């Protein structure tokens, strides 16, 4: 059964949830949030889209296999740790670079990695369960 209302609103809500998930991930350094919660919010947006349109539409919208997203996330998280080692500091030591308007550091790279791991892992499970039906 397909619902016109669900399919129409799902497209809008996915975009809003993705934007909100990025916002939550970026503010996670100083306030509640971070990569884990942001990844869950993004995955729920895609889960809604999978219910409305089917798992094939989600895979077409992603254009990348969720397992590759998990691998990319692990690579980002590990890279944030090795940057500290290359600088002569302990593994996963937070290092920052001062930019004109803000500070960017290795914790942000780690949060991006966690975001991608959670997004890919949850999406992989959701799509596998949807395709079983």
């Amino acid at each position: 059964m397909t619902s016109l209302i669900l399919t129409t609103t799902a497209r809008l809500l996915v975009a809003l949830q993705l934007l909100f998930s990025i916002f939550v991930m970026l503010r996670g350094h100083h306030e509640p949030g971070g990569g884990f919660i942001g990844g869950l919010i993004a995955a729920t947006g895609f889960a809604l889209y999978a219910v409305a349109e089917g798992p094939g539409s989600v895979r077409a919208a992603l254009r990348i296999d969720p397992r590759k997203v998990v691998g990319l996330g692990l690579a980002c998280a590990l890279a944030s740790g090795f940057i500290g080692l290359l600088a002569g500091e302990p593994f996963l030591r937070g290092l920052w670079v001062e930019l004109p308007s803000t500070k960017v550091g290795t914790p942000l790279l780690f949060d991006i990695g966690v975001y991608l791991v959670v997004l890919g892992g949850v999406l992989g499970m959701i799509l596998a369960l949807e395709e079983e039906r």
Side-chain angles (χ1 to χ4, degrees), residues 42-87:
T44 57
F46 282 113
L48 174 65
Y49 193 64
V51 168
E53 298 279 338
S57 297
V58 174
R59 288 195 186 275
L62 282 176
R63 299 184 184 143
I64 186 169
D65 187 45
R67 290 176 288 188
K68 291 182 181 176
V69 174
V70 171
L72 182 63
L74 286 173
C76 284
L78 283 174
S80 71
F82 285 119
I83 289 173
L85 284 178
L86 293 175

Side-chain angles (χ1 to χ4, degrees), residues 12-133:
L12 174 66
L13 287 176
V14 169
L16 290 175
Q17 281 186 291
L18 287 175
L19 286 173
F20 183 63
S21 74
I22 292 170
F23 169 75
V24 168
M25 182 197 61
L26 290 176
R27 73 173 242 164
H29 296 298
H30 305 292
E31 296 182 27
F36 186 80
I37 301 300
L40 285 178
I41 293 170
T44 57
F46 282 113
L48 174 65
Y49 193 64
V51 168
E53 298 279 338
S57 297
V58 174
R59 288 195 186 275
L62 282 176
R63 299 184 184 143
I64 186 169
D65 187 45
R67 290 176 288 188
K68 291 182 181 176
V69 174
V70 171
L72 182 63
L74 286 173
C76 284
L78 283 174
S80 71
F82 285 119
I83 289 173
L85 284 178
L86 293 175
E89 298 287 335
F91 185 73
L92 284 177
R93 175 70 173 215
L95 301 172
W96 287 267
V97 174
E98 194 79 34
L99 295 178
S101 61
T102 187
K103 286 173 32 176
V104 178
T106 56
L108 177 63
L109 185 60
F110 183 78
D111 271 347
I112 291 170
V114 171
Y115 178 92
L116 292 173
V117 167
V118 170
L119 177 62
V122 173
L123 273 180
M125 288 185 279
I126 288 171
L127 293 177
L129 290 173
E130 279 288 316
E131 288 167 347
E132 283 288 319
R133 285 199 293 157

